[in-house]
């Protein structure tokens, strides 16, 4: 080594560098004492986004949700919702670029509940709860125009294709399963998969891995023709909002006052959320097969839950591999049998294994604790999947109580597209006269005599 | 609704169920806020940072970050820098000459500026716009020098992912959430 050793030992600034003095003795090359009037530059520490800005975000979220609720229920304005969507897309999407958003927030909440070492940021808690509380009163106003993911898909939808109802209902349980999986893995500190497989965050950042950007591109391309594919078939937070929206105080009504059953609105919803009225059968006996099916399904529910729980418990070993500690411990234990050649250049893996070797007992203990917790969680997750499937089957067997054309409370994103499809609404906003509305309704498709259950 | 429901009692039953469930959900949300109020950090939020004492300069920071190039950069702790002529963070082992020739530099992107101060001292600065966080200089400085080069998450770039994708693969388990009010590890002692 040709290193030139600095000549003097310590700078004279004893007071300032008192803390350094002890440490400096460990230094291989003591800090120099400069003879010229050199001033030492300091380390720059660019600060993170301030907490105040986080509160601004929360306030904006609440304001946007309130505005969306007003636009959906009082103003009944699709145009206003589009304008708000554009704002949300620009601000929450492209400017804020994502974290923490309500979609991933359930994971923070789950981790906060189960890991005492993790503090849920207040903003994460607010982002989780506020849209949910809004959904209990005004339906999915968050999806309507506040969520940047929803806004992006909604704005690019150019030619909606009708998704068959069986696909809609079948894939519709995926968000619930994804939610359960996300909570299970987050609560055990294994992974935040909802964030990892988020389709649009890489697009909002305009930066990211090839996989992330490709996933975003695929969903965006699909969204041109299939209305909101991410919201309908993947979004785990949408699953929660759907539950809230089912029991919400106010639901979207297509007509402002009186449904003439003219069917003009029937195809106005690109998300397949508008449901036909249900005609009651003439004789009460006709309901008997339906009742029998429902009874069987309710009886099958505990079986589904138990079976799911058992299967879920089998998943825990596979899931544990996603936990960094478990993965390293397993690699370490496997490596005991076949040690890597010592001559090889260090890789991240060998460095991690080096750390594993130093802390082997703690590492293995920590890994088995994670496995144990994932095992318990696996029962819950599997049971949840069973419950979701059972509940969907039961809900399909329930006879809806619908006398008008109405959006399905859970599936409706409150986008406001159907409002102007209703002639009565067009009269209300002054686009046409009542006489024109009557003419429209006269030419509307004739209701089929056998209105079937949906 | 102007259409009378065919079976009013069943409508009211569903209405009752709906209201009851909404009430239950509201109560649940309230209870949840109450439970978690002790756990939330109202006055603090957290950001990701690298503990330099645990960093094993494996190079994952350059490749695993969701941002390309990474939000992790090398920083220089001038207070503990030896200002060496032969900087082991700057020069490859056995360099041809102690000059700024690319073949002599360990940094793949020439992100370290070598500046003459006075004989025999040289100042080394990180040009952050070029740094990719590969930690090659960190390894050289830490293994053979004072360890004044170290990696830090730069918060002007970091998007503070919910789950840091580098933390997930960090070979040294060096990533942790730190209070945003004190978001950097300021290295004041060697190693």
């Amino acid at each position: 080594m040709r290193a030139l050793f600095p000549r003097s030992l310590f700078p004279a600034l004893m007071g300032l560098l008192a803390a350094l003095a002890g440490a400096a003795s460990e230094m291989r090359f003591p800090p120099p004492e400069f003879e010229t009037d050199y001033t030492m530059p300091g380390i720059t520490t660019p600060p993170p986004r301030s907490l105040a800005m986080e509160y601004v975000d929360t306030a904006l979220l609440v304001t946007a949700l309130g505005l969306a609720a007003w636009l959906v229920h009082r103003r009944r304005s699709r145009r206003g919702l589009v304008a708000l969507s554009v704002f949300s897309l620009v601000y929450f999407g492209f400017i804020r670029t994502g974290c923490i958003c309500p979609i991933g927030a359930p994971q923070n909440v789950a981790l906060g509940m189960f890991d005492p070492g993790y503090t849920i940021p207040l903003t994460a808690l607010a982002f989780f709860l506020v849209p949910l509380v809004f959904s209990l009163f005004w339906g999915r106003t968050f999806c309507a125009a506040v969520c940047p993911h929803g806004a992006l898909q909604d704005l690019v939808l150019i030619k909606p294709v009708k998704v068959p109802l069986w696909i809609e209902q079948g894939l519709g349980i995926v968000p619930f399963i994804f939610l359960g999986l996300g909570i299970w893995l987050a609560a055990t500190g294994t992974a935040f998969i909802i964030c990892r497989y988020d389709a649009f965050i890489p697009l909002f950042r305009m930066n990211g891995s090839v996989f992330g950007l490709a996933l975003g591109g695929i969903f965006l391309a699909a969204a041109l023709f299939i209305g909101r594919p991410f919201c309908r078939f993947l979004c785990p937070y949408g699953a929660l909002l759907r539950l809230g929206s089912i029991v919400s105080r106010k639901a979207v009504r297509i007509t402002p006052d009186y449904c003439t059953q003219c069917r003009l609105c029937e195809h106005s919803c690109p998300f397949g959320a508008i449901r036909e009225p249900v005609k009651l059968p003439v004789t009460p006996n006709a309901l008997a097969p339906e009742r029998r099916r429902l009874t069987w399904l309710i009886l099958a529910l505990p079986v589904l839950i138990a079976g799911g729980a058992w299967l879920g418990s089998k998943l825990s070993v596979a899931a544990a591999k996603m936990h960094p500690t478990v993965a390293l411990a397993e690699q370490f234990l496997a490596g005991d049998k076949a040690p890597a050649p010592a001559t090889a250049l260090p890789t991240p893996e060998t460095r991690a294994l080096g750390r594993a070797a130093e802390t082997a007992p703690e590492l293995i203990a920590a890994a088995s604790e994670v496995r144990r917790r994932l095992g318990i969680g696996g029962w819950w997750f599997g049971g949840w999947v069973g419950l979701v499937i059972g509940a969907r089957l039961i809900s399909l067997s329930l006879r809806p109580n619908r006398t008008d054309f109405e959006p399905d409370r859970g599936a409706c994103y409150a986008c406001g597209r159907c409002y102007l499809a209703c002639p009565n609404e067009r009269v209300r906003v002054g686009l046409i006269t009542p006489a024109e509305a009557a003419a429209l309704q006269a030419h509307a498709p004739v209701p089929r005599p056998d209105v079937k259950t949906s | 609704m102007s259409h009378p429901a065919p079976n009013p009692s069943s409508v009211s039953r569903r209405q009752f169920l709906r209201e009851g469930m909404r009430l239950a959900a509201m109560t649940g949300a309230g209870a949840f806020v109450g439970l978690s109020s002790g756990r939330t950090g109202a006055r603090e939020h957290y950001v990701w940072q690298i503990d330099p004492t645990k960093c094993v300069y494996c190079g994952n920071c350059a490749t695993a970050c969701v941002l390309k190039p990474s939000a992790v950069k090398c920083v220089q702790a001038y207070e503990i820098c030896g200002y060496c002529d032969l900087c082991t963070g700057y020069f490859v082992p056995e360099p041809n000459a102690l000059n700024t020739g690319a073949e002599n530099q360990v940094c793949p992107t020439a992100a370290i500026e070598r500046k003459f101060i006075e004989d025999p001292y040289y100042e080394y600065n990180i040009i952050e716009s070029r740094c990719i966080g590969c930690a090659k200089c960190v390894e050289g400085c830490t293994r053979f020098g004072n360890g004044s080069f170290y990696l830090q998450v730069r918060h002007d770039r970091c998007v503070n992912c919910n789950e840091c994708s580098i933390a997930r693969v960090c070979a040294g388990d060096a990533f942790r959430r730190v209070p945003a009010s004190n978001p950097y590890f300021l290295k004041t002692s060697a190693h």
Side-chain angles (χ1 to χ4, degrees), chain A residues 1-8 17 20 23 26-51 54-55 97 99-101 104-105 107-109 111-116 118-123 125 128-129 133 136-137 190-193 195-196 205 207-209 246-250 253 257-261 280 322 324 328 346-349 351-352 355 398-401 403-404 406 409, chain B residues 1-7 10-11 14-15 17-19 21-22 25-26 29 32-33 35-37 39-47 54 56-60 66-69 75-86 88 94-98 117-121 123 125 128 139 141-147 150 154-157 159-163 167-173 177 180-181 183-191:
Chain A
M1 267 230 212
R2 286 186 286 152
L4 293 171
F5 285 80
R7 280 159 290 193
S8 55
L17 297 176
L20 254 176
E26 305 164 13
M27 287 186 193
R28 298 194 178 105
F29 309 104
E33 187 179 301
F34 295 104
E35 281 153 13
T36 53
D37 54 351
Y38 168 75
T39 46
M40 198 180 273
I43 299 181
T44 57
T45 52
R49 207 159 176 278
S50 72
L51 189 59
E54 306 276 317
Y55 287 129
T97 63
C99 296
I100 295 168
C101 76
Q107 301 170 119
N108 299 68
V109 171
L111 184 61
M113 297 298 271
F114 289 94
D115 180 359
Y118 175 73
T119 338
I120 318 172
L122 194 68
T123 42
L125 192 63
F128 172 69
L129 275 179
V133 171
L136 289 174
F137 287 91
T190 306
F192 276 28
I193 55 157
C195 299
R196 200 181 300 176
R205 287 181 182 147
N207 196 329
S209 65
I246 286 171
V247 298
S248 74
R249 191 182 189 84
K250 278 187 91 97
R253 271 185 64 75
D257 40 24
Y258 175 76
C259 177
T260 57
Q261 315 228 341
L280 278 177
M322 294 176 81
L328 181 62
T347 63
E349 287 73 35
R351 289 185 210 252
R355 171 169 65 91
L398 286 176
R399 176 167 278 273
N401 214 317
T403 53
D404 296 342
E406 275 175 9
R409 277 169 162 266
Chain B
M1 224 198 283
S2 54
H3 280 278
N7 187 353
S10 113
V11 169
R14 291 198 180 195
Q15 198 63 30
L17 276 174
R18 187 171 286 156
E19 307 248 315
M21 264 144 69
R22 184 164 66 241
M26 287 302 292
F32 179 77
V33 170
L35 271 176
S36 52
S37 60
R39 286 271 188 85
T40 59
R43 271 182 232 97
E44 195 60 278
H45 66 138
Y46 290 82
V47 291
K54 293 177 89 177
V56 295
Y57 22 87
C58 68
N60 273 341
V66 295
L67 298 181
K68 314 281 175 229
V75 295
Q76 160 75 303
Y78 294 96
E79 283 182 20
I80 57 171
C81 178
Y83 288 79
C84 311
D85 185 6
L86 172 55
T88 49
E94 308 288 322
N96 291 326
L98 295 189
I117 301 295
E118 63 179 62
D119 188 48
Y121 302 128
E123 182 187 277
N125 300 309
E128 275 192 16
E139 177 164 20
C141 180
T142 311
R143 289 179 62 180
F144 305 110
N146 282 353
Y150 64 107
R154 302 301 274 171
H155 292 295
D156 49 346
R157 272 188 67 71
V159 289
N160 200 17
C161 289
N162 219 350
E163 180 197 41
R168 205 163 69 218
V169 295
C170 177
D173 194 24
R177 291 183 177 91
S181 54
Y184 292 94
F185 281 91
L186 296 177
K187 224 175 164 182
T188 50
S189 65
H191 309 295

